[in-house]
C-alpha cells in the first residue's frame, strides 16, 4: 500500500504504548509476506484521528467511543465490516 501512496496505522482504545504484536499474528502474517516484528502498539490519539483520512473501528461500540470524543469526525469514522456488523477481536482466537 505504501507504494501506492497509502499509509496504514493501527491504534487501540485500550492499547499500551510500545507493546509488540501478538506472536500468533506475527507468525500468521509472516506466511503472507507481512513482517510485524517491528510493530509496536499505540493508543488512539486526537493527533492520529485528525491526521487520518479514514478511521475504521471493529465494533459499533468502538466507533461510538471515538465519535463521543470527536463528533466532528463522523464523516471519516466507520466500521471495518462493509456489512456494518461488529467484528470480534481475533486475539487468542487461533490462526483460523
Amino acid at each position: 500500500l505504501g507504494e501506492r501512496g497509502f499509509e496504514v496505522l493501527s491504534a487501540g482504545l485500550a492499547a499500551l504504548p510500545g507493546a509488540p504484536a501478538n506472536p500468533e499474528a506475527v507468525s500468521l502474517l509472516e506466511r503472507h509476506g507481512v513482517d510485524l516484528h517491528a510493530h509496536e502498539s499505540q493508543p488512539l490519539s486526537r493527533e492520529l484521528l485528525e491526521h487520518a483520512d479514514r478511521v475504521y473501528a471493529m465494533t459499533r461500540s468502538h466507533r461510538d467511543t471515538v465519535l463521543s470524543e470527536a463528533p466532528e469526525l463522523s464523516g471519516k469514522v466507520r466500521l471495518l465490516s462493509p456489512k456494518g456488523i461488529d467484528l470480534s477481536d481475533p486475539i487468542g482466537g487461533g490462526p483460523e
Side-chain angles (χ1 to χ4, degrees):
L1 289 172
E3 295 170 2
R4 295 184 177 163
F6 292 93
E7 180 181 20
V8 178
L9 301 175
S10 172
L13 295 175
L16 297 174
N22 175 281
E24 219 171 61
V26 171
S27 176
L28 182 65
L29 289 176
E30 197 168 48
R31 288 182 262 172
H32 295 280
V34 177
D35 183 4
L36 281 184
H37 287 94
H39 176 81
E40 293 184 355
S41 64
Q42 65 179 332
L44 186 62
S45 67
R46 170 63 78 161
E47 182 180 353
L48 287 172
L49 287 170
E50 290 176 357
H51 174 76
D53 292 319
R54 297 277 186 267
V55 176
Y56 293 99
M58 292 182 64
T59 67
R60 287 180 291 259
S61 175
H62 291 158
R63 182 196 62 207
D64 294 347
T65 299
V66 170
L67 292 176
S68 72
E69 297 294 321
E72 72 279 9
L73 302 178
S74 64
K76 64 177 169 180
V77 180
R78 55 187 67 160
L79 289 175
L80 181 59
S81 166
K83 295 180 179 181
I85 60 171
D86 288 350
L87 300 174
S88 59
D89 192 332
I91 298 297
E96 299 77 34

